[in-house]
mmCIF file with all atom_site columns, all heavy atoms in Angstrom:
data_model
loop_
_atom_site.group_PDB
_atom_site.id
_atom_site.type_symbol
_atom_site.label_atom_id
_atom_site.label_alt_id
_atom_site.label_comp_id
_atom_site.label_asym_id
_atom_site.label_entity_id
_atom_site.label_seq_id
_atom_site.pdbx_PDB_ins_code
_atom_site.Cartn_x
_atom_site.Cartn_y
_atom_site.Cartn_z
_atom_site.occupancy
_atom_site.B_iso_or_equiv
_atom_site.pdbx_formal_charge
_atom_site.auth_seq_id
_atom_site.auth_comp_id
_atom_site.auth_asym_id
_atom_site.auth_atom_id
_atom_site.pdbx_PDB_model_num
ATOM 1   N N   . LEU A 1 1  ? 8.289   54.749 63.835 1.00 0.00 ? 29 LEU A N   1
ATOM 2   C CA  . LEU A 1 1  ? 8.444   55.660 62.712 1.00 0.00 ? 29 LEU A CA  1
ATOM 3   C C   . LEU A 1 1  ? 7.146   56.424 62.498 1.00 0.00 ? 29 LEU A C   1
ATOM 4   O O   . LEU A 1 1  ? 6.059   55.841 62.520 1.00 0.00 ? 29 LEU A O   1
ATOM 5   C CB  . LEU A 1 1  ? 8.797   54.879 61.442 1.00 0.00 ? 29 LEU A CB  1
ATOM 6   C CG  . LEU A 1 1  ? 10.137  54.135 61.445 1.00 0.00 ? 29 LEU A CG  1
ATOM 7   C CD1 . LEU A 1 1  ? 10.314  53.387 60.131 1.00 0.00 ? 29 LEU A CD1 1
ATOM 8   C CD2 . LEU A 1 1  ? 11.287  55.099 61.656 1.00 0.00 ? 29 LEU A CD2 1
ATOM 9   N N   . PHE A 1 2  ? 7.253   57.726 62.317 1.00 0.00 ? 30 PHE A N   1
ATOM 10  C CA  . PHE A 1 2  ? 6.095   58.577 62.081 1.00 0.00 ? 30 PHE A CA  1
ATOM 11  C C   . PHE A 1 2  ? 6.173   59.116 60.663 1.00 0.00 ? 30 PHE A C   1
ATOM 12  O O   . PHE A 1 2  ? 7.209   59.635 60.238 1.00 0.00 ? 30 PHE A O   1
ATOM 13  C CB  . PHE A 1 2  ? 6.072   59.747 63.070 1.00 0.00 ? 30 PHE A CB  1
ATOM 14  C CG  . PHE A 1 2  ? 5.724   59.349 64.481 1.00 0.00 ? 30 PHE A CG  1
ATOM 15  C CD1 . PHE A 1 2  ? 6.639   58.678 65.284 1.00 0.00 ? 30 PHE A CD1 1
ATOM 16  C CD2 . PHE A 1 2  ? 4.475   59.648 65.008 1.00 0.00 ? 30 PHE A CD2 1
ATOM 17  C CE1 . PHE A 1 2  ? 6.319   58.304 66.573 1.00 0.00 ? 30 PHE A CE1 1
ATOM 18  C CE2 . PHE A 1 2  ? 4.149   59.280 66.300 1.00 0.00 ? 30 PHE A CE2 1
ATOM 19  C CZ  . PHE A 1 2  ? 5.072   58.608 67.080 1.00 0.00 ? 30 PHE A CZ  1
ATOM 20  N N   . SER A 1 3  ? 5.091   58.987 59.916 1.00 0.00 ? 31 SER A N   1
ATOM 21  C CA  . SER A 1 3  ? 5.075   59.523 58.555 1.00 0.00 ? 31 SER A CA  1
ATOM 22  C C   . SER A 1 3  ? 3.674   59.988 58.198 1.00 0.00 ? 31 SER A C   1
ATOM 23  O O   . SER A 1 3  ? 2.676   59.426 58.665 1.00 0.00 ? 31 SER A O   1
ATOM 24  C CB  . SER A 1 3  ? 5.564   58.469 57.551 1.00 0.00 ? 31 SER A CB  1
ATOM 25  O OG  . SER A 1 3  ? 4.751   57.315 57.602 1.00 0.00 ? 31 SER A OG  1
ATOM 26  N N   . GLN A 1 4  ? 3.629   61.022 57.378 1.00 0.00 ? 32 GLN A N   1
ATOM 27  C CA  . GLN A 1 4  ? 2.332   61.576 56.980 1.00 0.00 ? 32 GLN A CA  1
ATOM 28  C C   . GLN A 1 4  ? 1.783   60.790 55.794 1.00 0.00 ? 32 GLN A C   1
ATOM 29  O O   . GLN A 1 4  ? 2.512   60.422 54.870 1.00 0.00 ? 32 GLN A O   1
ATOM 30  C CB  . GLN A 1 4  ? 2.456   63.048 56.609 1.00 0.00 ? 32 GLN A CB  1
ATOM 31  C CG  . GLN A 1 4  ? 1.121   63.682 56.226 1.00 0.00 ? 32 GLN A CG  1
ATOM 32  C CD  . GLN A 1 4  ? 1.208   65.190 56.054 1.00 0.00 ? 32 GLN A CD  1
ATOM 33  O OE1 . GLN A 1 4  ? 2.195   65.810 56.449 1.00 0.00 ? 32 GLN A OE1 1
ATOM 34  N NE2 . GLN A 1 4  ? 0.183   65.774 55.470 1.00 0.00 ? 32 GLN A NE2 1
ATOM 35  N N   . ARG A 1 5  ? 0.487   60.556 55.848 1.00 0.00 ? 33 ARG A N   1
ATOM 36  C CA  . ARG A 1 5  ? -0.194  59.868 54.752 1.00 0.00 ? 33 ARG A CA  1
ATOM 37  C C   . ARG A 1 5  ? -0.193  60.781 53.526 1.00 0.00 ? 33 ARG A C   1
ATOM 38  O O   . ARG A 1 5  ? -0.684  61.915 53.596 1.00 0.00 ? 33 ARG A O   1
ATOM 39  C CB  . ARG A 1 5  ? -1.632  59.545 55.187 1.00 0.00 ? 33 ARG A CB  1
ATOM 40  C CG  . ARG A 1 5  ? -2.397  58.651 54.259 1.00 0.00 ? 33 ARG A CG  1
ATOM 41  C CD  . ARG A 1 5  ? -3.747  58.286 54.847 1.00 0.00 ? 33 ARG A CD  1
ATOM 42  N NE  . ARG A 1 5  ? -3.656  57.221 55.843 1.00 0.00 ? 33 ARG A NE  1
ATOM 43  C CZ  . ARG A 1 5  ? -3.818  57.396 57.144 1.00 0.00 ? 33 ARG A CZ  1
ATOM 44  N NH1 . ARG A 1 5  ? -4.086  58.594 57.622 1.00 0.00 ? 33 ARG A NH1 1
ATOM 45  N NH2 . ARG A 1 5  ? -3.714  56.380 57.973 1.00 0.00 ? 33 ARG A NH2 1
ATOM 46  N N   . PRO A 1 6  ? 0.366   60.343 52.408 1.00 0.00 ? 34 PRO A N   1
ATOM 47  C CA  . PRO A 1 6  ? 0.467   61.238 51.244 1.00 0.00 ? 34 PRO A CA  1
ATOM 48  C C   . PRO A 1 6  ? -0.887  61.454 50.575 1.00 0.00 ? 34 PRO A C   1
ATOM 49  O O   . PRO A 1 6  ? -1.788  60.628 50.669 1.00 0.00 ? 34 PRO A O   1
ATOM 50  C CB  . PRO A 1 6  ? 1.425   60.486 50.319 1.00 0.00 ? 34 PRO A CB  1
ATOM 51  C CG  . PRO A 1 6  ? 1.243   59.044 50.669 1.00 0.00 ? 34 PRO A CG  1
ATOM 52  C CD  . PRO A 1 6  ? 0.950   59.013 52.149 1.00 0.00 ? 34 PRO A CD  1
ATOM 53  N N   . PHE A 1 7  ? -1.000  62.585 49.902 1.00 0.00 ? 35 PHE A N   1
ATOM 54  C CA  . PHE A 1 7  ? -2.217  62.855 49.133 1.00 0.00 ? 35 PHE A CA  1
ATOM 55  C C   . PHE A 1 7  ? -1.888  63.820 48.013 1.00 0.00 ? 35 PHE A C   1
ATOM 56  O O   . PHE A 1 7  ? -0.868  64.523 48.040 1.00 0.00 ? 35 PHE A O   1
ATOM 57  C CB  . PHE A 1 7  ? -3.330  63.420 50.026 1.00 0.00 ? 35 PHE A CB  1
ATOM 58  C CG  . PHE A 1 7  ? -3.068  64.798 50.556 1.00 0.00 ? 35 PHE A CG  1
ATOM 59  C CD1 . PHE A 1 7  ? -3.534  65.920 49.897 1.00 0.00 ? 35 PHE A CD1 1
ATOM 60  C CD2 . PHE A 1 7  ? -2.328  64.972 51.727 1.00 0.00 ? 35 PHE A CD2 1
ATOM 61  C CE1 . PHE A 1 7  ? -3.287  67.196 50.383 1.00 0.00 ? 35 PHE A CE1 1
ATOM 62  C CE2 . PHE A 1 7  ? -2.081  66.236 52.229 1.00 0.00 ? 35 PHE A CE2 1
ATOM 63  C CZ  . PHE A 1 7  ? -2.556  67.355 51.550 1.00 0.00 ? 35 PHE A CZ  1
ATOM 64  N N   . SER A 1 8  ? -2.745  63.857 47.032 1.00 0.00 ? 36 SER A N   1
ATOM 65  C CA  . SER A 1 8  ? -2.576  64.745 45.881 1.00 0.00 ? 36 SER A CA  1
ATOM 66  C C   . SER A 1 8  ? -3.303  66.064 46.145 1.00 0.00 ? 36 SER A C   1
ATOM 67  O O   . SER A 1 8  ? -4.511  66.065 46.391 1.00 0.00 ? 36 SER A O   1
ATOM 68  C CB  . SER A 1 8  ? -3.125  64.069 44.620 1.00 0.00 ? 36 SER A CB  1
ATOM 69  O OG  . SER A 1 8  ? -3.380  65.012 43.610 1.00 0.00 ? 36 SER A OG  1
ATOM 70  N N   . ASP A 1 9  ? -2.560  67.162 46.080 1.00 0.00 ? 37 ASP A N   1
ATOM 71  C CA  . ASP A 1 9  ? -3.191  68.487 46.236 1.00 0.00 ? 37 ASP A CA  1
ATOM 72  C C   . ASP A 1 9  ? -4.250  68.704 45.164 1.00 0.00 ? 37 ASP A C   1
ATOM 73  O O   . ASP A 1 9  ? -5.291  69.314 45.417 1.00 0.00 ? 37 ASP A O   1
ATOM 74  C CB  . ASP A 1 9  ? -2.135  69.588 46.152 1.00 0.00 ? 37 ASP A CB  1
ATOM 75  C CG  . ASP A 1 9  ? -1.277  69.675 47.405 1.00 0.00 ? 37 ASP A CG  1
ATOM 76  O OD1 . ASP A 1 9  ? -1.821  69.494 48.512 1.00 0.00 ? 37 ASP A OD1 1
ATOM 77  O OD2 . ASP A 1 9  ? -0.061  69.907 47.280 1.00 0.00 ? 37 ASP A OD2 1
ATOM 78  N N   . ARG A 1 10 ? -3.962  68.192 43.981 1.00 0.00 ? 38 ARG A N   1
ATOM 79  C CA  . ARG A 1 10 ? -4.909  68.358 42.874 1.00 0.00 ? 38 ARG A CA  1
ATOM 80  C C   . ARG A 1 10 ? -6.220  67.642 43.169 1.00 0.00 ? 38 ARG A C   1
ATOM 81  O O   . ARG A 1 10 ? -7.312  68.185 42.952 1.00 0.00 ? 38 ARG A O   1
ATOM 82  C CB  . ARG A 1 10 ? -4.276  67.831 41.589 1.00 0.00 ? 38 ARG A CB  1
ATOM 83  C CG  . ARG A 1 10 ? -5.151  67.977 40.358 1.00 0.00 ? 38 ARG A CG  1
ATOM 84  C CD  . ARG A 1 10 ? -4.420  67.479 39.122 1.00 0.00 ? 38 ARG A CD  1
ATOM 85  N NE  . ARG A 1 10 ? -5.256  67.584 37.941 1.00 0.00 ? 38 ARG A NE  1
ATOM 86  C CZ  . ARG A 1 10 ? -4.886  67.191 36.728 1.00 0.00 ? 38 ARG A CZ  1
ATOM 87  N NH1 . ARG A 1 10 ? -3.677  66.688 36.542 1.00 0.00 ? 38 ARG A NH1 1
ATOM 88  N NH2 . ARG A 1 10 ? -5.712  67.310 35.695 1.00 0.00 ? 38 ARG A NH2 1
ATOM 89  N N   . THR A 1 11 ? -6.100  66.392 43.686 1.00 0.00 ? 39 THR A N   1
ATOM 90  C CA  . THR A 1 11 ? -7.311  65.637 44.027 1.00 0.00 ? 39 THR A CA  1
ATOM 91  C C   . THR A 1 11 ? -8.064  66.312 45.164 1.00 0.00 ? 39 THR A C   1
ATOM 92  O O   . THR A 1 11 ? -9.299  66.427 45.126 1.00 0.00 ? 39 THR A O   1
ATOM 93  C CB  . THR A 1 11 ? -6.946  64.195 44.436 1.00 0.00 ? 39 THR A CB  1
ATOM 94  O OG1 . THR A 1 11 ? -6.279  63.554 43.345 1.00 0.00 ? 39 THR A OG1 1
ATOM 95  C CG2 . THR A 1 11 ? -8.186  63.394 44.799 1.00 0.00 ? 39 THR A CG2 1
ATOM 96  N N   . ALA A 1 12 ? -7.331  66.781 46.177 1.00 0.00 ? 40 ALA A N   1
ATOM 97  C CA  . ALA A 1 12 ? -7.972  67.461 47.306 1.00 0.00 ? 40 ALA A CA  1
ATOM 98  C C   . ALA A 1 12 ? -8.704  68.713 46.835 1.00 0.00 ? 40 ALA A C   1
ATOM 99  O O   . ALA A 1 12 ? -9.820  69.004 47.280 1.00 0.00 ? 40 ALA A O   1
ATOM 100 C CB  . ALA A 1 12 ? -6.939  67.802 48.371 1.00 0.00 ? 40 ALA A CB  1
ATOM 101 N N   . SER A 1 13 ? -8.082  69.443 45.923 1.00 0.00 ? 41 SER A N   1
ATOM 102 C CA  . SER A 1 13 ? -8.714  70.653 45.391 1.00 0.00 ? 41 SER A CA  1
ATOM 103 C C   . SER A 1 13 ? -9.977  70.311 44.616 1.00 0.00 ? 41 SER A C   1
ATOM 104 O O   . SER A 1 13 ? -11.014 70.977 44.767 1.00 0.00 ? 41 SER A O   1
ATOM 105 C CB  . SER A 1 13 ? -7.723  71.390 44.482 1.00 0.00 ? 41 SER A CB  1
ATOM 106 O OG  . SER A 1 13 ? -8.325  72.506 43.884 1.00 0.00 ? 41 SER A OG  1
ATOM 107 N N   . TRP A 1 14 ? -9.901  69.238 43.816 1.00 0.00 ? 42 TRP A N   1
ATOM 108 C CA  . TRP A 1 14 ? -11.085 68.823 43.052 1.00 0.00 ? 42 TRP A CA  1
ATOM 109 C C   . TRP A 1 14 ? -12.215 68.401 43.994 1.00 0.00 ? 42 TRP A C   1
ATOM 110 O O   . TRP A 1 14 ? -13.380 68.743 43.776 1.00 0.00 ? 42 TRP A O   1
ATOM 111 C CB  . TRP A 1 14 ? -10.699 67.670 42.126 1.00 0.00 ? 42 TRP A CB  1
ATOM 112 C CG  . TRP A 1 14 ? -11.902 67.056 41.470 1.00 0.00 ? 42 TRP A CG  1
ATOM 113 C CD1 . TRP A 1 14 ? -12.582 67.507 40.390 1.00 0.00 ? 42 TRP A CD1 1
ATOM 114 C CD2 . TRP A 1 14 ? -12.587 65.881 41.922 1.00 0.00 ? 42 TRP A CD2 1
ATOM 115 N NE1 . TRP A 1 14 ? -13.649 66.678 40.123 1.00 0.00 ? 42 TRP A NE1 1
ATOM 116 C CE2 . TRP A 1 14 ? -13.676 65.676 41.048 1.00 0.00 ? 42 TRP A CE2 1
ATOM 117 C CE3 . TRP A 1 14 ? -12.397 64.982 42.967 1.00 0.00 ? 42 TRP A CE3 1
ATOM 118 C CZ2 . TRP A 1 14 ? -14.557 64.616 41.187 1.00 0.00 ? 42 TRP A CZ2 1
ATOM 119 C CZ3 . TRP A 1 14 ? -13.263 63.923 43.093 1.00 0.00 ? 42 TRP A CZ3 1
ATOM 120 C CH2 . TRP A 1 14 ? -14.327 63.746 42.219 1.00 0.00 ? 42 TRP A CH2 1
ATOM 121 N N   . LEU A 1 15 ? -11.876 67.649 45.052 1.00 0.00 ? 43 LEU A N   1
ATOM 122 C CA  . LEU A 1 15 ? -12.899 67.219 46.008 1.00 0.00 ? 43 LEU A CA  1
ATOM 123 C C   . LEU A 1 15 ? -13.533 68.417 46.696 1.00 0.00 ? 43 LEU A C   1
ATOM 124 O O   . LEU A 1 15 ? -14.751 68.442 46.926 1.00 0.00 ? 43 LEU A O   1
ATOM 125 C CB  . LEU A 1 15 ? -12.275 66.280 47.046 1.00 0.00 ? 43 LEU A CB  1
ATOM 126 C CG  . LEU A 1 15 ? -11.838 64.893 46.551 1.00 0.00 ? 43 LEU A CG  1
ATOM 127 C CD1 . LEU A 1 15 ? -11.068 64.147 47.627 1.00 0.00 ? 43 LEU A CD1 1
ATOM 128 C CD2 . LEU A 1 15 ? -13.046 64.076 46.110 1.00 0.00 ? 43 LEU A CD2 1
ATOM 129 N N   . GLN A 1 16 ? -12.725 69.407 47.015 1.00 0.00 ? 44 GLN A N   1
ATOM 130 C CA  . GLN A 1 16 ? -13.255 70.614 47.659 1.00 0.00 ? 44 GLN A CA  1
ATOM 131 C C   . GLN A 1 16 ? -14.195 71.349 46.699 1.00 0.00 ? 44 GLN A C   1
ATOM 132 O O   . GLN A 1 16 ? -15.271 71.824 47.097 1.00 0.00 ? 44 GLN A O   1
ATOM 133 C CB  . GLN A 1 16 ? -12.103 71.521 48.081 1.00 0.00 ? 44 GLN A CB  1
ATOM 134 C CG  . GLN A 1 16 ? -12.546 72.710 48.930 1.00 0.00 ? 44 GLN A CG  1
ATOM 135 C CD  . GLN A 1 16 ? -11.362 73.515 49.449 1.00 0.00 ? 44 GLN A CD  1
ATOM 136 O OE1 . GLN A 1 16 ? -10.252 73.008 49.530 1.00 0.00 ? 44 GLN A OE1 1
ATOM 137 N NE2 . GLN A 1 16 ? -11.608 74.758 49.790 1.00 0.00 ? 44 GLN A NE2 1
ATOM 138 N N   . GLN A 1 17 ? -13.813 71.415 45.432 1.00 0.00 ? 45 GLN A N   1
ATOM 139 C CA  . GLN A 1 17 ? -14.675 72.075 44.441 1.00 0.00 ? 45 GLN A CA  1
ATOM 140 C C   . GLN A 1 17 ? -15.973 71.308 44.238 1.00 0.00 ? 45 GLN A C   1
ATOM 141 O O   . GLN A 1 17 ? -16.982 71.881 43.805 1.00 0.00 ? 45 GLN A O   1
ATOM 142 C CB  . GLN A 1 17 ? -13.923 72.200 43.114 1.00 0.00 ? 45 GLN A CB  1
ATOM 143 C CG  . GLN A 1 17 ? -12.777 73.195 43.143 1.00 0.00 ? 45 GLN A CG  1
ATOM 144 C CD  . GLN A 1 17 ? -11.908 73.116 41.894 1.00 0.00 ? 45 GLN A CD  1
ATOM 145 O OE1 . GLN A 1 17 ? -12.283 72.503 40.902 1.00 0.00 ? 45 GLN A OE1 1
ATOM 146 N NE2 . GLN A 1 17 ? -10.739 73.742 41.958 1.00 0.00 ? 45 GLN A NE2 1
ATOM 147 N N   . SER A 1 18 ? -15.954 70.018 44.563 1.00 0.00 ? 46 SER A N   1
ATOM 148 C CA  . SER A 1 18 ? -17.164 69.197 44.441 1.00 0.00 ? 46 SER A CA  1
ATOM 149 C C   . SER A 1 18 ? -18.109 69.396 45.622 1.00 0.00 ? 46 SER A C   1
ATOM 150 O O   . SER A 1 18 ? -19.165 68.771 45.684 1.00 0.00 ? 46 SER A O   1
ATOM 151 C CB  . SER A 1 18 ? -16.787 67.718 44.349 1.00 0.00 ? 46 SER A CB  1
ATOM 152 O OG  . SER A 1 18 ? -15.995 67.470 43.207 1.00 0.00 ? 46 SER A OG  1
ATOM 153 N N   . GLY A 1 19 ? -17.704 70.241 46.572 1.00 0.00 ? 47 GLY A N   1
ATOM 154 C CA  . GLY A 1 19 ? -18.580 70.566 47.688 1.00 0.00 ? 47 GLY A CA  1
ATOM 155 C C   . GLY A 1 19 ? -18.153 69.987 49.013 1.00 0.00 ? 47 GLY A C   1
ATOM 156 O O   . GLY A 1 19 ? -18.836 70.161 50.027 1.00 0.00 ? 47 GLY A O   1
ATOM 157 N N   . LEU A 1 20 ? -17.001 69.266 49.058 1.00 0.00 ? 48 LEU A N   1
ATOM 158 C CA  . LEU A 1 20 ? -16.547 68.650 50.294 1.00 0.00 ? 48 LEU A CA  1
ATOM 159 C C   . LEU A 1 20 ? -15.824 69.689 51.157 1.00 0.00 ? 48 LEU A C   1
ATOM 160 O O   . LEU A 1 20 ? -15.132 70.569 50.638 1.00 0.00 ? 48 LEU A O   1
ATOM 161 C CB  . LEU A 1 20 ? -15.606 67.486 49.965 1.00 0.00 ? 48 LEU A CB  1
ATOM 162 C CG  . LEU A 1 20 ? -15.449 66.376 50.996 1.00 0.00 ? 48 LEU A CG  1
ATOM 163 C CD1 . LEU A 1 20 ? -16.783 65.726 51.321 1.00 0.00 ? 48 LEU A CD1 1
ATOM 164 C CD2 . LEU A 1 20 ? -14.470 65.315 50.477 1.00 0.00 ? 48 LEU A CD2 1
ATOM 165 N N   . HIS A 1 21 ? -16.011 69.579 52.459 1.00 0.00 ? 49 HIS A N   1
ATOM 166 C CA  . HIS A 1 21 ? -15.325 70.466 53.397 1.00 0.00 ? 49 HIS A CA  1
ATOM 167 C C   . HIS A 1 21 ? -13.813 70.385 53.137 1.00 0.00 ? 49 HIS A C   1
ATOM 168 O O   . HIS A 1 21 ? -13.274 69.307 52.882 1.00 0.00 ? 49 HIS A O   1
ATOM 169 C CB  . HIS A 1 21 ? -15.641 70.024 54.831 1.00 0.00 ? 49 HIS A CB  1
ATOM 170 C CG  . HIS A 1 21 ? -15.108 70.917 55.888 1.00 0.00 ? 49 HIS A CG  1
ATOM 171 N ND1 . HIS A 1 21 ? -13.790 70.905 56.276 1.00 0.00 ? 49 HIS A ND1 1
ATOM 172 C CD2 . HIS A 1 21 ? -15.718 71.877 56.653 1.00 0.00 ? 49 HIS A CD2 1
ATOM 173 C CE1 . HIS A 1 21 ? -13.598 71.789 57.235 1.00 0.00 ? 49 HIS A CE1 1
ATOM 174 N NE2 . HIS A 1 21 ? -14.754 72.402 57.472 1.00 0.00 ? 49 HIS A NE2 1
ATOM 175 N N   . PRO A 1 22 ? -13.087 71.518 53.207 1.00 0.00 ? 50 PRO A N   1
ATOM 176 C CA  . PRO A 1 22 ? -11.644 71.500 52.892 1.00 0.00 ? 50 PRO A CA  1
ATOM 177 C C   . PRO A 1 22 ? -10.852 70.461 53.678 1.00 0.00 ? 50 PRO A C   1
ATOM 178 O O   . PRO A 1 22 ? -9.977  69.794 53.110 1.00 0.00 ? 50 PRO A O   1
ATOM 179 C CB  . PRO A 1 22 ? -11.202 72.924 53.250 1.00 0.00 ? 50 PRO A CB  1
ATOM 180 C CG  . PRO A 1 22 ? -12.434 73.755 53.098 1.00 0.00 ? 50 PRO A CG  1
ATOM 181 C CD  . PRO A 1 22 ? -13.575 72.875 53.489 1.00 0.00 ? 50 PRO A CD  1
ATOM 182 N N   . LEU A 1 23 ? -11.130 70.308 54.978 1.00 0.00 ? 51 LEU A N   1
ATOM 183 C CA  . LEU A 1 23 ? -10.394 69.311 55.766 1.00 0.00 ? 51 LEU A CA  1
ATOM 184 C C   . LEU A 1 23 ? -10.739 67.901 55.297 1.00 0.00 ? 51 LEU A C   1
ATOM 185 O O   . LEU A 1 23 ? -9.852  67.059 55.126 1.00 0.00 ? 51 LEU A O   1
ATOM 186 C CB  . LEU A 1 23 ? -10.716 69.472 57.252 1.00 0.00 ? 51 LEU A CB  1
ATOM 187 C CG  . LEU A 1 23 ? -10.078 68.437 58.194 1.00 0.00 ? 51 LEU A CG  1
ATOM 188 C CD1 . LEU A 1 23 ? -8.553  68.460 58.075 1.00 0.00 ? 51 LEU A CD1 1
ATOM 189 C CD2 . LEU A 1 23 ? -10.504 68.684 59.643 1.00 0.00 ? 51 LEU A CD2 1
ATOM 190 N N   . LEU A 1 24 ? -12.032 67.647 55.051 1.00 0.00 ? 52 LEU A N   1
ATOM 191 C CA  . LEU A 1 24 ? -12.430 66.319 54.571 1.00 0.00 ? 52 LEU A CA  1
ATOM 192 C C   . LEU A 1 24 ? -11.855 66.045 53.188 1.00 0.00 ? 52 LEU A C   1
ATOM 193 O O   . LEU A 1 24 ? -11.500 64.908 52.874 1.00 0.00 ? 52 LEU A O   1
ATOM 194 C CB  . LEU A 1 24 ? -13.951 66.199 54.531 1.00 0.00 ? 52 LEU A CB  1
ATOM 195 C CG  . LEU A 1 24 ? -14.680 66.161 55.875 1.00 0.00 ? 52 LEU A CG  1
ATOM 196 C CD1 . LEU A 1 24 ? -16.184 66.021 55.658 1.00 0.00 ? 52 LEU A CD1 1
ATOM 197 C CD2 . LEU A 1 24 ? -14.164 65.012 56.745 1.00 0.00 ? 52 LEU A CD2 1
ATOM 198 N N   . ALA A 1 25 ? -11.741 67.083 52.363 1.00 0.00 ? 53 ALA A N   1
ATOM 199 C CA  . ALA A 1 25 ? -11.173 66.905 51.019 1.00 0.00 ? 53 ALA A CA  1
ATOM 200 C C   . ALA A 1 25 ? -9.741  66.388 51.122 1.00 0.00 ? 53 ALA A C   1
ATOM 201 O O   . ALA A 1 25 ? -9.342  65.470 50.398 1.00 0.00 ? 53 ALA A O   1
ATOM 202 C CB  . ALA A 1 25 ? -11.218 68.216 50.253 1.00 0.00 ? 53 ALA A CB  1
ATOM 203 N N   . ARG A 1 26 ? -8.957  66.955 52.039 1.00 0.00 ? 54 ARG A N   1
ATOM 204 C CA  . ARG A 1 26 ? -7.576  66.494 52.238 1.00 0.00 ? 54 ARG A CA  1
ATOM 205 C C   . ARG A 1 26 ? -7.559  65.057 52.755 1.00 0.00 ? 54 ARG A C   1
ATOM 206 O O   . ARG A 1 26 ? -6.774  64.226 52.293 1.00 0.00 ? 54 ARG A O   1
ATOM 207 C CB  . ARG A 1 26 ? -6.874  67.447 53.219 1.00 0.00 ? 54 ARG A CB  1
ATOM 208 C CG  . ARG A 1 26 ? -5.525  66.937 53.714 1.00 0.00 ? 54 ARG A CG  1
ATOM 209 C CD  . ARG A 1 26 ? -4.681  68.058 54.289 1.00 0.00 ? 54 ARG A CD  1
ATOM 210 N NE  . ARG A 1 26 ? -5.140  68.593 55.535 1.00 0.00 ? 54 ARG A NE  1
ATOM 211 C CZ  . ARG A 1 26 ? -4.668  68.225 56.730 1.00 0.00 ? 54 ARG A CZ  1
ATOM 212 N NH1 . ARG A 1 26 ? -3.750  67.283 56.809 1.00 0.00 ? 54 ARG A NH1 1
ATOM 213 N NH2 . ARG A 1 26 ? -5.112  68.789 57.835 1.00 0.00 ? 54 ARG A NH2 1
ATOM 214 N N   . LEU A 1 27 ? -8.419  64.758 53.737 1.00 0.00 ? 55 LEU A N   1
ATOM 215 C CA  . LEU A 1 27 ? -8.444  63.419 54.332 1.00 0.00 ? 55 LEU A CA  1
ATOM 216 C C   . LEU A 1 27 ? -8.915  62.368 53.329 1.00 0.00 ? 55 LEU A C   1
ATOM 217 O O   . LEU A 1 27 ? -8.372  61.267 53.271 1.00 0.00 ? 55 LEU A O   1
ATOM 218 C CB  . LEU A 1 27 ? -9.350  63.430 55.566 1.00 0.00 ? 55 LEU A CB  1
ATOM 219 C CG  . LEU A 1 27 ? -8.904  64.337 56.722 1.00 0.00 ? 55 LEU A CG  1
ATOM 220 C CD1 . LEU A 1 27 ? -9.975  64.385 57.803 1.00 0.00 ? 55 LEU A CD1 1
ATOM 221 C CD2 . LEU A 1 27 ? -7.581  63.866 57.302 1.00 0.00 ? 55 LEU A CD2 1
ATOM 222 N N   . TYR A 1 28 ? -9.935  62.714 52.549 1.00 0.00 ? 56 TYR A N   1
ATOM 223 C CA  . TYR A 1 28 ? -10.451 61.773 51.556 1.00 0.00 ? 56 TYR A CA  1
ATOM 224 C C   . TYR A 1 28 ? -9.414  61.510 50.465 1.00 0.00 ? 56 TYR A C   1
ATOM 225 O O   . TYR A 1 28 ? -9.235  60.363 50.024 1.00 0.00 ? 56 TYR A O   1
ATOM 226 C CB  . TYR A 1 28 ? -11.731 62.313 50.930 1.00 0.00 ? 56 TYR A CB  1
ATOM 227 C CG  . TYR A 1 28 ? -13.004 61.944 51.655 1.00 0.00 ? 56 TYR A CG  1
ATOM 228 C CD1 . TYR A 1 28 ? -13.057 61.976 53.037 1.00 0.00 ? 56 TYR A CD1 1
ATOM 229 C CD2 . TYR A 1 28 ? -14.146 61.561 50.967 1.00 0.00 ? 56 TYR A CD2 1
ATOM 230 C CE1 . TYR A 1 28 ? -14.215 61.633 53.714 1.00 0.00 ? 56 TYR A CE1 1
ATOM 231 C CE2 . TYR A 1 28 ? -15.311 61.210 51.626 1.00 0.00 ? 56 TYR A CE2 1
ATOM 232 C CZ  . TYR A 1 28 ? -15.336 61.252 53.001 1.00 0.00 ? 56 TYR A CZ  1
ATOM 233 O OH  . TYR A 1 28 ? -16.479 60.901 53.674 1.00 0.00 ? 56 TYR A OH  1
ATOM 234 N N   . ALA A 1 29 ? -8.730  62.559 50.025 1.00 0.00 ? 57 ALA A N   1
ATOM 235 C CA  . ALA A 1 29 ? -7.708  62.389 48.988 1.00 0.00 ? 57 ALA A CA  1
ATOM 236 C C   . ALA A 1 29 ? -6.602  61.463 49.488 1.00 0.00 ? 57 ALA A C   1
ATOM 237 O O   . ALA A 1 29 ? -6.079  60.629 48.728 1.00 0.00 ? 57 ALA A O   1
ATOM 238 C CB  . ALA A 1 29 ? -7.128  63.745 48.595 1.00 0.00 ? 57 ALA A CB  1
#
């Protein structure tokens, strides 16, 4: 079974605004 690891767009956006690279923001979230 293949499934994508879920994440919050809101959290990813906040992490990116905190200075994290956009790709890392998605992965960290």
Side-chain angles (χ1 to χ4, degrees):
L29 296 179
F30 288 74
S31 59
Q32 182 172 347
R33 189 174 280 108
F35 68 94
S36 161
D37 286 322
R38 181 178 179 182
T39 300
S41 176
W42 171 80
L43 291 172
Q44 188 174 338
Q45 290 170 13
S46 299
L48 204 58
H49 185 282
L51 177 58
L52 291 181
R54 169 161 70 97
L55 297 173
Y56 271 42

